PDB file of all heavy atoms in Angstrom:
ATOM      1  N   CYS A 224     110.295 107.558  73.357  1.00  0.00           N
ATOM      2  CA  CYS A 224     111.035 108.002  72.181  1.00  0.00           C
ATOM      3  C   CYS A 224     112.144 107.001  71.892  1.00  0.00           C
ATOM      4  O   CYS A 224     112.888 106.610  72.792  1.00  0.00           O
ATOM      5  CB  CYS A 224     111.635 109.381  72.424  1.00  0.00           C
ATOM      6  SG  CYS A 224     112.759 109.891  71.109  1.00  0.00           S
ATOM      7  N   CYS A 227     115.871 109.344  72.226  1.00  0.00           N
ATOM      8  CA  CYS A 227     116.469 109.995  73.406  1.00  0.00           C
ATOM      9  C   CYS A 227     116.019 109.391  74.717  1.00  0.00           C
ATOM     10  O   CYS A 227     116.479 109.796  75.777  1.00  0.00           O
ATOM     11  CB  CYS A 227     116.152 111.488  73.399  1.00  0.00           C
ATOM     12  SG  CYS A 227     114.433 111.851  73.777  1.00  0.00           S
ATOM     13  N   CYS A 395     108.884 113.566  69.002  1.00  0.00           N
ATOM     14  CA  CYS A 395     109.286 113.623  70.418  1.00  0.00           C
ATOM     15  C   CYS A 395     109.472 115.075  70.868  1.00  0.00           C
ATOM     16  O   CYS A 395     110.040 115.877  70.147  1.00  0.00           O
ATOM     17  CB  CYS A 395     110.587 112.847  70.584  1.00  0.00           C
ATOM     18  SG  CYS A 395     111.311 113.019  72.213  1.00  0.00           S
ATOM     19  N   CYS A 398     113.726 115.713  71.745  1.00  0.00           N
ATOM     20  CA  CYS A 398     114.843 115.671  70.799  1.00  0.00           C
ATOM     21  C   CYS A 398     114.334 116.027  69.412  1.00  0.00           C
ATOM     22  O   CYS A 398     113.134 116.110  69.184  1.00  0.00           O
ATOM     23  CB  CYS A 398     115.522 114.294  70.813  1.00  0.00           C
ATOM     24  SG  CYS A 398     114.525 112.971  70.107  1.00  0.00           S
TER      25      CYS A 398
HETATM   26 ZN1   ZN B   1     113.339 111.949  71.787  1.00  0.00          ZN
END
Side-chain angles (χ1 to χ4, degrees):
C224 172
C227 72
C395 172
C398 70

